[in-house]
Amino acid sequence: MSETPKPRQRKPGAGRKAGTGQFGGEPTVIVRLPEADRDSLLELARLRSERRRGLFPPLPADQVYRPMPDAPRVAIPLAGVSVRAGLPSPAADFESEQLDLNDYLLRDAPSTIMYRVKGLSMIGCGIDEGDLLVIDRKLEAGHNDIVLAEIPGEGATVKRLYHKGGRVALLPENPDFEPMEFCGEQELLLVGVVTGCIKKFR
């Protein structure tokens, strides 16, 4: 007759201290997810936890917009030939194809936000104050991507990411602004990758 195993006794002081760990002591659950997505989803969960705990300020409400869910399709005539600026073209040239701006601008609507630019630090790559940027939060930022980033104590900024040879920096596209260098324990939150820029001229 086998003996029933005795329950293991938890040693006093054993285990992780309350309020520690990558989620700051928040309640956690066990989930199943694709192995290929493990690291990126854990990083997203950690950053969202930090924002809830006030370690990163929320993005400014007057600069952030979200695509409308189930937005109606609006087909716009697209020119079938290249047209030189300043030269009129027959109307027939614009009727060969239809373009929906939602399909053109949004790779994944739920992970996309629109961000209105303030400042002149990126004018060298055509991003001006007042432009609306299309930000994909699901894309993994890489070296030389233009990104929306958050810096503790400073807020949100749009810059070109330099991540090469051990150097991490946010680079402006305007010689009047200085690069932002990151090293050691400095925190940098990459909100998403800029995939488009919308301008209005009138």
Side-chain angles (χ1 to χ4, degrees), residues 44-131:
L44 175 61
R46 182 183 72 82
L47 294 173
R48 289 176 66 90
S49 174
E50 289 184 353
R51 176 169 287 161
R52 283 193 298 271
R53 289 179 283 131
L55 301 184
F56 284 94
L59 293 171
D62 63 337
Q63 290 178 257
V64 178
Y65 308 85
R66 298 182 185 278
M68 292 175 55
D70 303 320
R73 291 183 58 85
V74 179
I76 301 173
L78 177 66
V81 296
S82 297
V83 181
R84 293 177 58 188
L87 294 180
S89 183
D93 290 340
F94 294 88
E95 297 176 356
S96 60
E97 188 177 349
Q98 300 289 309
L99 173 69
D100 180 79
L101 291 180
N102 289 315
D103 293 338
Y104 182 71
L105 293 171
L106 308 181
R107 301 187 186 191
D108 182 23
S111 68
T112 300
I113 60 174
M114 312 292 286
Y115 184 80
R116 191 173 296 281
V117 177
K118 287 187 177 180
L120 304 174
S121 65
M122 298 297 287
I123 59 176
C125 63
I127 297 177
D128 299 302
E129 184 160 15
D131 288 351

Side-chain angles (χ1 to χ4, degrees), residues 3 13 15 20 26 28 34 39 42 54 59 74-75 82 89 98 111 116-117 122-123 132 134 140 144 146 155 159:
E3 296 183 359
T20 63
E26 289 191 284
T28 59
D39 292 341
L42 282 176
L59 293 171
V74 179
S82 297
S89 183
Q98 300 289 309
S111 68
R116 191 173 296 281
V117 177
M122 298 297 287
I123 59 176
L132 272 176
V134 183
E140 183 176 350
N144 214 37
I146 299 175
K159 296 290 187 291

Side-chain angles (χ1 to χ4, degrees), residues 141-145 160-171 180-183 188 190:
H143 174 66
N144 214 37
D145 279 335
R160 190 177 295 279
L161 175 65
Y162 188 100
H163 190 189
K164 189 176 181 181
R167 180 191 178 198
V168 178
L170 295 177
L171 307 180
M180 307 171 74
E181 305 282 348
F182 296 86
C183 59
L188 170 64
L190 298 180

Side-chain angles (χ1 to χ4, degrees), residues 10 13-23 25 28:
R10 183 186 177 97
R16 182 175 291 158
K17 294 182 180 180
T20 63
Q22 61 179 327
F23 301 118
T28 59

